[in-house]
Amino acid sequence: MVDPVMTNAANAASGANANWIPIYPGTDGALVMGMIQWMISQKRINSEFLSCPNIGVAKRLGFPSFSSASWLVVIDEKHKKYGKYVRASDLGLDGGKDASVVVMEDGSLQSTDQASGPALIDISKEITIGEEKVHVKSAFRLLKEESFSSSIHEYSAACGVPAEQIAKLAQEFTSHGVKSSAIAHGGMMSGSGFLNAFSVITLNVLIGNLNCRGGFVMNGGGFKDAGKGPRYDLDSFDGQIKPKGIPFGRNVPYTKTSEFKW
């Protein structure tokens, strides 16, 4: 468990075999990038899963899901599509207009909805869009380069977790095939919370555990907080006092608070 503070609730839920890793608040992304760097350098990623460009190929290879690791992204900053996926329509390829593009094992370009086999994931090359030469990279290549943009010791200094422990955590996480899962608590309660949480979930993608037994369950569904049914009806009952004022979670614009009015 990675958390700045070891609470009683987390301690009780983690069990006797858990290991608490204290971290500087809001720096989970640095820890994860250090783990990703170690996983890639030690070849502890699921390359077969990452090479699946669509669900059809994934199912043939025995995976219940796929990823965008092989999809090409425009990286020329002056191009109008900078930072966006290359689309089949950009290259006149067969496939839906929103289909992305990958490089197949024979070096050919193919749309993601027409690809019938694994695609290459570590790609940096020039392609022609219209009459223009454009530099593109695969989504995995962009992640790889970003993870190696700092050393594991720099990531350690940023998050407060020793480099040796970052490597050990990555080794343990990748030692169980797809029967391992990393999760984050909501937005992780910091200004960079979304990106931190997104990085944690990316760990699951790299080991190919999405929707696998023992892995990470995608879109597990939810439940209505209150309503009619075989439980207390908290939406409407006699003598109900309607809430007013600012929500306890303070999840409203501060300009609507009574403090701001004063």
Side-chain angles (χ1 to χ4, degrees), residues 172-187:
E172 178 65 24
F173 180 70
T174 57
S175 295
H176 308 281
V178 297
K179 294 184 178 180
S180 186
S181 183
I183 60 172
H185 183 277

Side-chain angles (χ1 to χ4, degrees), residues 220-255:
F223 60 90
K224 196 176 185 308
D225 296 326
K228 300 184 183 303
R231 59 184 185 272
Y232 292 111
D233 182 358
L234 300 180
D235 276 343
S236 178
F237 53 88
D238 292 339
Q240 183 183 29
I241 299 175
K242 296 295 183 181
K244 61 180 181 179
I246 301 302
F248 184 75
R250 305 189 72 80
N251 51 326
V252 295
Y254 75 92
T255 52

Side-chain angles (χ1 to χ4, degrees), residues 46 59 62-63 76-77 87 102 127 137 147 150 185 194 211 241:
N46 193 335
K59 287 183 175 179
F63 298 105
D76 282 342
E77 294 187 9
R87 299 299 184 185
V102 295
I127 64 173
K137 292 181 180 180
S147 72
S150 298
H185 183 277
F194 172 81
N211 280 346
I241 299 175

Side-chain angles (χ1 to χ4, degrees), residues 1-256:
M1 186 192 72
V2 179
D3 200 314
V5 178
M6 169 63 82
T7 66
N8 289 333
N11 184 43
S14 299
N17 295 324
N19 181 30
W20 172 44
I21 300 176
I23 188 173
Y24 296 153
T27 64
D28 305 79
L31 168 66
V32 171
M33 293 304 280
M35 291 178 63
I36 290 175
Q37 181 186 122
W38 187 93
M39 290 164 63
I40 293 175
S41 64
Q42 298 299 315
K43 296 181 172 55
R44 304 275 285 208
I45 59 174
N46 193 335
S47 297
E48 185 179 30
F49 167 79
L50 295 172
S51 71
C52 298
N54 57 45
I55 190 62
V57 175
K59 287 183 175 179
R60 284 196 293 277
L61 294 179
F63 298 105
S65 188
F66 68 102
S67 80
S68 60
S70 59
W71 298 9
L72 299 182
V73 180
V74 176
I75 64 164
D76 282 342
E77 294 187 9
K78 295 181 179 180
H79 195 273
K80 64 181 181 180
K81 297 202 67 173
Y82 169 65
K84 297 181 179 180
Y85 287 120
V86 180
R87 299 299 184 185
S89 56
D90 297 329
L91 306 179
L93 297 174
D94 292 335
K97 67 176 183 179
D98 291 328
S100 296
V101 176
V102 295
V103 179
M104 304 304 292
E105 292 183 334
D106 63 359
S108 64
L109 296 174
Q110 186 65 272
S111 66
T112 51
D113 61 356
Q114 296 293 311
S116 59
L120 301 179
I121 64 171
D122 197 352
I123 293 294
S124 176
K125 63 179 299 179
E126 276 193 345
I127 64 173
T128 301
I129 298 180
E131 298 180 353
E132 196 175 354
K133 290 286 187 181
V134 180
H135 194 187
V136 298
K137 292 181 180 180
S138 61
F140 172 79
R141 178 61 174 262
L142 291 172
L143 176 64
K144 175 183 175 181
E145 290 181 356
E146 186 62 30
S147 72
F148 280 87
S149 64
S150 298
S151 71
I152 195 168
H153 294 286
E154 288 173 320
Y155 288 130
S156 171
C159 67
V161 179
E164 296 77 12
Q165 194 164 31
I166 293 176
K168 184 178 180 180
L169 188 61
Q171 181 178 30
E172 178 65 24
F173 180 70
T174 57
S175 295
H176 308 281
V178 297
K179 294 184 178 180
S180 186
S181 183
I183 60 172
H185 183 277
M188 302 184 77
M189 315 311 173
S190 73
S192 57
F194 172 81
L195 294 176
N196 286 338
F198 194 91
S199 67
V200 171
I201 301 306
T202 300
L203 291 172
N204 297 296
V205 181
L206 291 176
I207 64 171
N209 70 0
L210 306 183
N211 280 346
C212 291
R213 180 172 295 183
F216 181 79
V217 178
M218 299 165 58
N219 191 21
F223 60 90
K224 196 176 185 308
D225 296 326
K228 300 184 183 303
R231 59 184 185 272
Y232 292 111
D233 182 358
L234 300 180
D235 276 343
S236 178
F237 53 88
D238 292 339
Q240 183 183 29
I241 299 175
K242 296 295 183 181
K244 61 180 181 179
I246 301 302
F248 184 75
R250 305 189 72 80
N251 51 326
V252 295
Y254 75 92
T255 52
K256 293 185 177 182

